[in-house]
Amino acid sequence: MINQYEPSAIEQKWYSFWESNGFFKPNQNHEDAYCIMIPPPNVTGTLHMGHAFQDTVMDALIRYHRMLGKNTLWQPGTDHAGIATQMVVERQLDAEGSSRLELGREKFTERVWDWKEQSGSTITQQLRRLGASPDWSRERFTMDPGLSAAVLKVFVELHDEGLIYRGQRLVNWDPALNTALSDLEVESKEEQGHMWYFKYPLADDQNRATDEHIIIATTRPETMFGDTAVAINPDDQKRKHLIGRNLILPLSNRIIPIVGDQHADPEKGTGCVKITPAHDFNDYEVGQRHQLPMINIMHKDATLNHQVPEKYRGMDRYAAREEVIKDLQAQGLLVEIKKHTLMVPRGDRSGVVIEPLLTNQWYVDAKTLAKPAIEAVENKTIRFVPDNWKNTYYSWMRDIQDWCISRQLWWGHRIPAWYDDKDNIYVGLNEADVRNKHQLTDDIILTQDSDVLDTWFSAALWPFATLGWPEKTPELKTYYPTTVLVTGFDIIFFWVARMIMMGMKFMKDVPFHEIYIHGLVRDSQGQKMSKSKGNVLDPIDLIDGIELPELIEKRTRGLMQTQPERVEHIKKMTVDEFPEGIKAYGCDALRFTFASLASTGRDINFDLGRIEGYSNFCNKIFNASRFVMMNVEDFDHTNVTSSDPTLVEQWIVSRLHRCLADYHKHMAAYRLDLASHAIYDFFWNAYCDWFVELSKPLLKGSQRTQLQQTLLKVLATALQLLHPFMPYITEEIWQTVKQKLGLEDDSIMITRIPAESDLHLDTEAEQHMQWLQSVVLSIRQIRAEMNLPPSKKLKILLENATPNEMALLQNNLALLQAIAKISDISALEDQTAPPAAAAILGDMKILIPLAGNIDVNEETNRIGKQLAKLEQEVKRCSGKLSNQKFVANAPAELVEKEKQKLAEYQQQHHELSEQLEKLKSL
């Protein structure tokens, strides 16, 4: 073995070894397939803590099932990320003094492909740094030829069935990017604004303005040009008499009706709500119910169009707002202005306020597709882990709206629809297919739709398109449905549900059987990590380390232009938290930290103290393994004579198998936190602190060879259990261990973990060993309390020891002498015990004579303190048991437990009092 554990010295070496030898590929055992689809990260992306956590969970599951002998496929790939990628390249062009419009569509998309080929693999390289083991030979991209063909086929088939259609509806419109956005791409945050109160005059029978008016309140005065009604709740006793009357819309002088609708809340605002169906999602629904006109008053850049009075045409929406307020005030129609806190929707990439806009878009009939997808969860064909997330799924799916799938971008899957000069729409796989299907002659000029599909459309096909669909490939037959989807709760609606819908539609089966929902990674204070907060941690920095100046520069990069007021705060916060920067912890410590925090469904607070602790665990693993290897240099696996195993060997093997049973149970339940804790506890406490220590004297005996074999075999299995969480250090040590054991597997990652059917527990050995450990710990406790040096040999006396207990002690005397530093153990028969320090173990009392060993005054004080504590416990228990309400109402077993405690405390008090009396006689 190498002399010192240095993560950086082994990580690249072993990853290259695994990948070059094809160990990540499936084993082609078609009878027992296990498959996970990676949620494809954006091709523009870099690895963040959320990715690192999620991918650690997936890789641990993949490595574990691979080591169970399953035909394991982790399917990798990246998403073309339409808006994100287009923005990156557009920023590059802007810096060059050019633009996509200047290049044209064809040249621009060529430029994006060039960028993708040069820089698009950053995140997949970072995944390799994390130790991820997907089958890279099968890596896919959502715009590669195979997936693109699948997207076209799905679009055409859904359109031909009437499940995709083109229609005019409200969408989230980004005026900066000039495209529709999904709800996921909109961030609504609380901001300070204003509420304006205006008078709308009532009209008489000839639709002339009267002196009467109603008051409406709005946060967006500029949208009044699109008002087509005012709503009042039919149950509003004060105002319902106005329903059916008409109003004069100020500045436009249009006649609009007052309608009765539950959308108006009599207790909120003025009780009268302006209805602008083309610029508000709730108003759109009201407009549909009352068949109101829909007047779009804005261009796509959020300037006002020809539908508004001439004075306001061409104005930006916010300039128009100011002008509207001023003009209404001049007409005496402005009642008041109040400060108001409201939720403002902004594009997550552009940062501009989103405008609900009435546009022509392509839609999927989601209600029809959702029905079988809902049933798949209801009948438990798909199971959420934790189960409560199914309710989130149901709440959205049972009230699902049609899905807007078109985006006004150039980068993405272009919509396979063509228009003739009369705006007739033809859908097909390509123009030739369209002409053939619809028997169009060459003299009819066709123009393809300029929009592209929402990125989630292609992502919805990921589980089967990556396996070769629509071809009936062997991979599709073997791995679909996949086993489990590992994802965050934030995309249950946008990705998970849509994969289920598309899988049920085109594969007639679910895309996965289980959905493991994990939480978000937050900072140590439970705050969401964000650039603006300056609390982001980079997983690669935790692996490699980073100096403080570089960390500060990284955290404040770009903020001087956007949030200069935050920069100094972030600098100070970073210095306070990381005064010396972040040291290199290595990949294994980071992965084990993630695993230890991976409790189902909960957000995790990432604390650097945790990774520090698991970095120490890595060192513990290495040092213990190095000790073993130094003590088996003369071991020859071909020359081991079997003999009866010692109690210590029986115990450690049984403890290992008990750990294995717990480990299998927890991995099956996606409780990686409990699985990692089980192997941590076994390796640190059972193997290192006890078995390795106990082996030191035994290695000098006649059973040295057999003990060496046990040390190696238990270490080898423990490394297997650690491997899914800590791939690098386990491979490094395994390569040395396997040589000593004569194992044939080339890598630990393709070895077979013992299955539950192979486990054998020795309860008696565990009980005996646990009792001996208690004896040792009791002696050590007394030694510590008496302040006796660890090297001082002690004579031990026993009171009330049974014959079986004495036999167990005598059979293991050599061990006890070595690890507890005792000279002799003997039982007191009828003689009176000398003054001694005592520990009680069941009915047996362990005594260390005081004479010649302790300071009488110190021991008197120690016993006095223990007596005082026992008196408090006796008082507490007695008080509880004398309380008639407690005795009458508490469960019988709880009352009995208190009685037992009281008896034990009283007995201990009596024995310590006797010991104190003996001290006084010295």
Side-chain angles (χ1 to χ4, degrees), residues 56-91:
T56 295
V57 169
M58 284 187 284
D59 192 53
L61 291 171
I62 284 290
R63 287 180 182 269
Y64 168 69
H65 285 92
R66 186 186 284 131
M67 294 171 77
L68 291 179
K70 293 190 177 180
N71 179 18
T72 305
L73 171 64
W74 186 12
Q75 174 64 53
T78 50
D79 188 272
H80 63 278
I83 292 178
T85 306
Q86 181 156 322
M87 283 183 66
V88 168
V89 178
E90 285 203 64
R91 280 196 291 265

Side-chain angles (χ1 to χ4, degrees), residues 1-296:
M1 279 181 65
I2 54 176
N3 293 326
Q4 190 173 355
Y5 171 58
E6 288 288 347
S8 59
I10 64 172
E11 290 176 1
Q12 183 56 48
K13 173 182 73 173
W14 289 120
Y15 198 90
S16 297
F17 171 72
W18 295 327
E19 191 170 1
S20 62
N21 281 279
F23 293 144
F24 301 158
K25 294 181 179 181
N27 64 21
Q28 303 307 318
N29 171 15
H30 296 289
E31 298 303 316
D32 200 6
Y34 183 92
C35 180
I36 296 178
M37 291 282 163
I38 196 169
N42 288 356
V43 72
T44 59
T46 55
L47 193 72
H48 57 61
M49 292 293 279
H51 287 134
F53 173 59
Q54 177 175 268
D55 292 318
T56 295
V57 169
M58 284 187 284
D59 192 53
L61 291 171
I62 284 290
R63 287 180 182 269
Y64 168 69
H65 285 92
R66 186 186 284 131
M67 294 171 77
L68 291 179
K70 293 190 177 180
N71 179 18
T72 305
L73 171 64
W74 186 12
Q75 174 64 53
T78 50
D79 188 272
H80 63 278
I83 292 178
T85 306
Q86 181 156 322
M87 283 183 66
V88 168
V89 178
E90 285 203 64
R91 280 196 291 265
Q92 292 175 353
L93 291 173
D94 185 59
E96 297 167 12
S98 182
S99 70
R100 70 181 172 102
L101 296 175
E102 189 174 323
L103 283 183
R105 185 169 193 142
E106 186 176 343
K107 292 289 185 185
F108 176 75
T109 52
E110 285 178 9
R111 175 71 179 257
V112 182
W113 276 109
D114 288 343
W115 177 87
K116 186 263 178 188
E117 293 305 316
Q118 294 167 15
S119 307
S121 62
T122 298
I123 196 164
T124 56
Q125 293 305 317
Q126 290 176 325
L127 279 171
R128 286 172 166 88
R129 291 295 321 278
L130 191 67
S133 63
D135 182 359
W136 292 114
S137 69
R138 293 186 49 82
E139 186 176 356
R140 304 301 299 271
F141 177 54
T142 49
M143 283 181 63
D144 69 26
L147 266 80
S148 295
V151 167
L152 291 175
K153 181 176 175 62
V154 165
F155 186 97
V156 172
E157 289 191 10
L158 289 176
H159 178 269
D160 289 350
E161 290 183 45
L163 295 175
I164 282 182
Y165 63 92
R166 185 164 171 81
Q168 190 178 62
R169 296 179 62 176
L170 273 194
V171 296
N172 298 308
W173 187 263
D174 188 315
L177 298 176
N178 275 301
T179 184
L181 300 181
S182 70
D183 290 343
L184 187 67
E185 295 161 323
V186 177
E187 293 181 345
S188 292
K189 294 183 179 178
E190 200 174 78
E191 296 184 18
Q192 292 302 311
H194 294 88
M195 183 75 79
W196 288 270
Y197 293 78
F198 300 122
K199 296 176 183 177
Y200 278 27
L202 283 157
D204 61 17
D205 293 341
Q206 283 75 43
N207 287 331
R208 294 173 301 196
T210 68
D211 292 335
E212 294 180 272
H213 64 264
I214 64 170
I215 297 174
I216 62 94
T218 181
T219 59
R220 299 197 299 157
E222 69 281 4
T223 63
M224 67 182 297
F225 296 121
D227 290 358
T228 56
V230 167
I232 289 174
N233 195 303
D235 300 326
D236 184 347
Q237 298 303 317
K238 293 181 183 177
R239 305 176 184 88
K240 69 177 183 179
H241 67 280
L242 296 171
I243 296 171
R245 295 279 303 271
N246 287 337
L247 295 165
I248 307 293
L249 182 63
L251 303 182
S252 294
N253 294 320
R254 274 192 293 108
I255 304 300
I256 61 174
I258 299 175
V259 298
D261 197 278
Q262 295 292 333
H263 173 58
D265 185 346
E267 306 301 321
K268 189 175 179 181
T270 67
C272 305
V273 181
K274 66 190 283 295
I275 304 301
T276 320
H279 292 279
D280 182 277
F281 288 101
N282 290 321
D283 293 0
Y284 178 85
E285 297 299 326
V286 177
Q288 292 288 297
R289 287 194 289 271
H290 297 276
Q291 297 182 326
L292 297 174
M294 298 195 183
I295 302 175
N296 180 8

Side-chain angles (χ1 to χ4, degrees), residues 333-495:
L333 299 177
L334 175 62
V335 179
E336 65 176 322
I337 305 172
K338 291 183 179 179
K339 288 185 177 179
H340 180 69
T341 301
L342 69 161
M343 297 300 290
V344 177
R346 294 182 179 273
D348 65 347
R349 300 192 182 280
S350 67
V352 303
V353 176
I354 294 304
E355 188 65 43
L357 198 66
L358 193 64
T359 61
N360 282 307
Q361 303 286 345
W362 289 91
Y363 291 91
V364 171
D365 176 358
K367 274 196 183 337
T368 300
L369 294 177
K371 189 173 183 296
I374 294 170
E375 291 171 355
V377 177
E378 288 175 335
N379 63 27
K380 297 182 172 54
T381 308
I382 295 176
R383 183 175 74 97
F384 277 88
V385 181
D387 184 65
N388 61 287
W389 285 111
K390 72 183 180 188
N391 298 321
T392 303
Y393 175 80
Y394 288 147
S395 68
W396 187 69
M397 291 289 278
R398 288 169 178 165
D399 190 35
I400 196 169
Q401 303 301 308
D402 282 0
W403 171 19
C404 176
I405 56 172
S406 47
R407 297 290 180 269
Q408 289 64 54
L409 302 170
W410 286 356
W411 173 245
H413 295 103
R414 194 167 177 179
I415 289 176
W418 281 260
Y419 303 84
D420 63 19
D421 57 2
K422 295 178 183 177
D423 282 339
N424 293 311
I425 303 174
Y426 308 96
V427 169
L429 298 174
N430 49 48
E431 185 175 340
D433 182 44
V434 164
R435 290 185 182 277
N436 182 55
K437 280 171 66 175
H438 298 278
Q439 298 184 345
L440 301 177
T441 59
D442 291 343
D443 61 330
I444 296 175
I445 298 173
L446 297 178
T447 304
Q448 188 175 358
D449 196 307
S450 60
D451 289 353
V452 299
L453 287 164
D454 176 15
T455 301
W456 294 109
F457 189 88
S458 51
L461 317 183
W462 191 251
F464 53 91
T466 52
L467 297 174
W469 186 90
E471 300 297 324
K472 294 181 179 180
T473 63
E475 292 84 1
L476 196 63
K477 182 180 179 182
T478 302
Y479 299 110
Y480 191 94
T482 65
T483 310
V484 60
L485 176 72
V486 178
T487 189
F489 62 84
D490 51 336
I491 55 173
I492 290 175
F493 311 143
F494 303 100
W495 190 44

Side-chain angles (χ1 to χ4, degrees), residues 640-863:
V640 179
T641 54
S642 61
S643 57
D644 291 337
T646 62
L647 171 65
V648 175
E649 290 174 286
Q650 291 174 307
W651 164 76
I652 195 62
V653 170
S654 185
R655 277 286 285 111
L656 174 63
H657 285 194
R658 194 171 296 280
C659 172
L660 267 160
D662 289 340
Y663 181 90
H664 284 308
K665 177 181 72 176
H666 297 320
M667 291 298 281
Y670 301 103
R671 291 301 304 267
L672 273 66
D673 55 335
L674 300 180
S676 61
H677 176 74
I679 183 58
Y680 175 94
D681 178 64
F682 171 79
F683 197 91
W684 192 299
N685 296 321
Y687 188 74
C688 295
D689 287 357
W690 285 100
F691 185 58
V692 169
E693 288 304 309
L694 291 167
S695 72
K696 291 176 182 178
L698 293 174
L699 284 168
K700 299 172 183 175
S702 60
Q703 292 180 294
R704 173 181 172 84
T705 302
Q706 178 178 289
L707 186 69
Q708 288 175 319
Q709 181 173 256
T710 305
L711 275 166
L712 285 166
K713 283 187 172 181
V714 173
L715 174 59
T717 305
L719 291 172
Q720 286 180 299
L721 300 189
L722 286 165
H723 179 76
F725 309 126
M726 295 177 153
Y728 292 115
I729 190 171
T730 52
E731 184 71 84
E732 177 70 30
I733 298 168
W734 165 265
Q735 291 294 333
T736 305
V737 172
K738 79 160 193 171
Q739 292 175 19
K740 279 293 174 185
L741 287 172
L743 303 175
E744 296 182 356
D745 290 314
D746 292 328
S747 169
I748 189 172
M749 70 178 293
I750 56 172
T751 60
R752 188 72 65 93
I753 293 177
E756 290 185 73
S757 57
D758 300 328
L759 305 185
H760 303 286
L761 302 181
D762 189 333
T763 305
E764 184 179 67
E766 289 189 59
Q767 290 173 344
H768 287 172
M769 190 63 201
Q770 184 178 5
W771 187 80
L772 288 172
Q773 288 172 313
S774 298
V775 171
V776 172
L777 292 173
S778 297
I779 294 170
R780 288 176 178 173
Q781 181 183 347
I782 297 173
R783 187 189 287 274
E785 290 172 351
M786 293 171 64
N787 201 26
L788 297 173
S791 59
K792 184 177 178 64
K793 297 269 187 178
L794 301 174
K795 180 179 176 65
I796 305 299
L797 300 175
L798 301 175
E799 274 190 356
N800 303 324
T802 67
N804 286 339
E805 288 171 340
M806 285 305 299
L808 191 56
L809 290 169
Q810 292 300 329
N811 290 340
N812 293 277
L813 184 58
L815 277 180
L816 294 171
Q817 288 174 329
I819 66 172
K821 294 294 186 286
I822 60 176
S823 57
D824 184 45
I825 295 181
S826 58
L828 286 171
E829 301 297 341
D830 297 328
Q831 66 267 46
T832 302
I840 300 168
L841 194 59
D843 293 330
M844 186 179 78
K845 189 185 292 183
I846 301 170
L847 304 172
I848 296 180
L850 302 177
N853 280 328
I854 65 159
D855 183 304
V856 173
N857 289 331
E858 282 187 10
E859 184 64 10
T860 301
N861 288 335
R862 183 184 77 84
I863 292 177

Side-chain angles (χ1 to χ4, degrees), residues 416-691:
W418 281 260
Y419 303 84
D420 63 19
D421 57 2
K422 295 178 183 177
D423 282 339
N424 293 311
I425 303 174
Y426 308 96
V427 169
L429 298 174
N430 49 48
E431 185 175 340
D433 182 44
V434 164
R435 290 185 182 277
N436 182 55
K437 280 171 66 175
H438 298 278
Q439 298 184 345
L440 301 177
T441 59
D442 291 343
D443 61 330
I444 296 175
I445 298 173
L446 297 178
T447 304
Q448 188 175 358
D449 196 307
S450 60
D451 289 353
V452 299
L453 287 164
D454 176 15
T455 301
W456 294 109
F457 189 88
S458 51
L461 317 183
W462 191 251
F464 53 91
T466 52
L467 297 174
W469 186 90
E471 300 297 324
K472 294 181 179 180
T473 63
E475 292 84 1
L476 196 63
K477 182 180 179 182
T478 302
Y479 299 110
Y480 191 94
T482 65
T483 310
V484 60
L485 176 72
V486 178
T487 189
F489 62 84
D490 51 336
I491 55 173
I492 290 175
F493 311 143
F494 303 100
W495 190 44
V496 178
R498 287 164 179 167
M499 283 191 287
I500 298 173
M501 288 191 285
M502 291 300 191
M504 297 297 289
K505 175 65 179 173
F506 290 95
M507 294 296 296
K508 311 304 180 190
D509 201 351
V510 296
F512 27 72
H513 290 297
E514 293 182 308
I515 304 167
Y516 168 50
I517 301 293
H518 60 73
L520 298 177
V521 181
R522 299 181 178 273
D523 70 11
S524 59
Q525 305 303 311
Q527 297 291 313
K528 186 176 180 180
M529 292 188 187
S530 71
K531 178 73 175 174
S532 61
K533 288 180 181 175
N535 61 348
V536 172
L537 286 172
D538 184 333
I540 302 301
D541 291 341
L542 293 168
I543 293 172
D544 293 341
I546 186 170
E547 298 291 335
L548 180 61
E550 188 183 349
L551 179 60
I552 291 173
E553 190 280 326
K554 195 172 187 177
R555 284 186 156 189
T556 57
R557 192 178 298 156
L559 292 181
M560 191 57 77
Q561 290 75 36
T562 57
Q563 299 182 55
E565 73 284 354
R566 296 280 303 159
V567 171
E568 289 305 315
H569 171 74
I570 291 170
K571 284 182 179 177
K572 182 179 184 306
M573 179 183 74
T574 304
V575 171
D576 290 345
E577 191 174 3
F578 309 106
E580 298 177 3
I582 298 175
K583 78 174 194 179
Y585 291 105
C587 181
D588 289 324
L590 176 63
R591 286 173 57 113
F592 203 86
T593 303
F594 282 136
S596 73
L597 295 168
S599 177
T600 49
R602 296 181 188 169
D603 287 354
I604 67 172
N605 297 351
F606 192 90
D607 184 356
L608 225 61
R610 198 79 175 250
I611 192 173
E612 180 78 42
Y614 292 129
S615 175
N616 293 337
F617 182 42
C618 289
N619 284 313
K620 183 83 169 180
I621 294 167
F622 183 83
N623 291 334
S625 302
R626 185 165 168 75
F627 167 82
V628 171
M629 299 316 298
M630 289 171 63
N631 282 276
V632 296
E633 288 180 353
D634 60 333
F635 176 75
D636 180 359
H637 70 89
T638 63
N639 187 28
V640 179
T641 54
S642 61
S643 57
D644 291 337
T646 62
L647 171 65
V648 175
E649 290 174 286
Q650 291 174 307
W651 164 76
I652 195 62
V653 170
S654 185
R655 277 286 285 111
L656 174 63
H657 285 194
R658 194 171 296 280
C659 172
L660 267 160
D662 289 340
Y663 181 90
H664 284 308
K665 177 181 72 176
H666 297 320
M667 291 298 281
Y670 301 103
R671 291 301 304 267
L672 273 66
D673 55 335
L674 300 180
S676 61
H677 176 74
I679 183 58
Y680 175 94
D681 178 64
F682 171 79
F683 197 91
W684 192 299
N685 296 321
Y687 188 74
C688 295
D689 287 357
W690 285 100
F691 185 58

